[in-house]
Amino acid sequence: EDVRDLAEQVLDLVVRANKTHRENEEEEDLTVYGTPIAINVLHEAGKAINSLTQCQDLSVKLGFDSDNVQKFEHSLKTIELPVVVFDMLMKWQQKEGSNATGEKLYSALQEIGRSDLAERLQNKLGVHGTDTGQRSDTTMA
């Protein structure tokens, strides 16, 4: 429980530090990687992924190879799942640069069965009116 609280505090500090950093940068510096997904959105997604299977599936959908997936799994021995997922999403964004788009994350979340999270983050990801071919008519009980 204490580790989880500490992990949450660290994530919140990272989000606040990045927000402050972005506020202090000149506008042209914000577009180094095109239009990156805001760190607070990655943080929110990281907190919402709630199983090792979802973490594994998401990492594969985002293009990580089996070695990286195993590294993420190994991290879970000492780090809480939300922190591992957040780290994975940050690494994906760094690795892909301008190709790490809201549409790709939205689609990956849909594909791993987290349509609820994809829909919740849709506006924050800059995805509007996307039809991924996934059924969105199912409701959670």
Side-chain angles (χ1 to χ4, degrees):
E1 191 86 16
D2 289 338
V3 173
R4 175 168 279 149
D5 290 341
L6 182 59
E8 284 293 321
Q9 290 173 6
V10 168
L11 281 173
D12 289 339
L13 285 172
V14 168
V15 168
R16 285 197 315 245
N18 187 61
K19 182 178 178 184
T20 300
H21 177 71
R22 283 185 175 202
E23 288 171 351
N24 293 330
E25 287 183 328
E26 294 180 29
E27 190 169 323
E28 62 266 16
D29 291 337
L30 292 174
T31 60
V32 171
Y33 293 118
T35 53
I37 300 167
I39 195 168
N40 62 322
V41 177
L42 298 179
H43 178 238
E44 187 175 342
K47 287 173 38 176
I49 298 296
N50 53 21
S51 74
L52 174 60
T53 301
Q54 288 178 3
C55 178
Q56 292 167 325
D57 292 348
L58 183 59
S59 62
V60 169
K61 294 293 180 190
L62 294 176
F64 287 99
D65 61 23
S66 60
D67 289 340
N68 281 308
V69 174
Q70 287 179 340
K71 287 177 186 174
F72 297 137
E73 291 171 15
H74 184 71
S75 297
L76 288 170
K77 293 180 182 179
T78 56
I79 303 172
E80 294 289 321
L81 181 62
V83 178
V84 172
V85 176
F86 175 74
D87 183 55
M88 181 258 298
L89 291 170
M90 291 293 292
K91 286 181 173 147
W92 169 68
Q93 193 170 39
Q94 290 170 347
K95 177 178 72 111
E96 294 294 318
S98 63
N99 291 321
T101 64
E103 290 83 5
K104 287 184 181 177
L105 181 55
Y106 179 88
S107 180
L109 290 168
Q110 291 269 357
E111 291 175 22
I112 68 164
R114 288 304 308 266
S115 297
D116 61 320
L117 179 57
E119 295 300 322
R120 192 170 79 215
L121 296 177
Q122 183 175 6
N123 288 337
K124 294 176 184 177
L125 291 171
V127 179
H128 303 285
T130 300
D131 181 9
T132 60
Q134 300 286 330
R135 288 184 297 151
S136 59
D137 58 347
T138 55
T139 57
M140 304 287 289

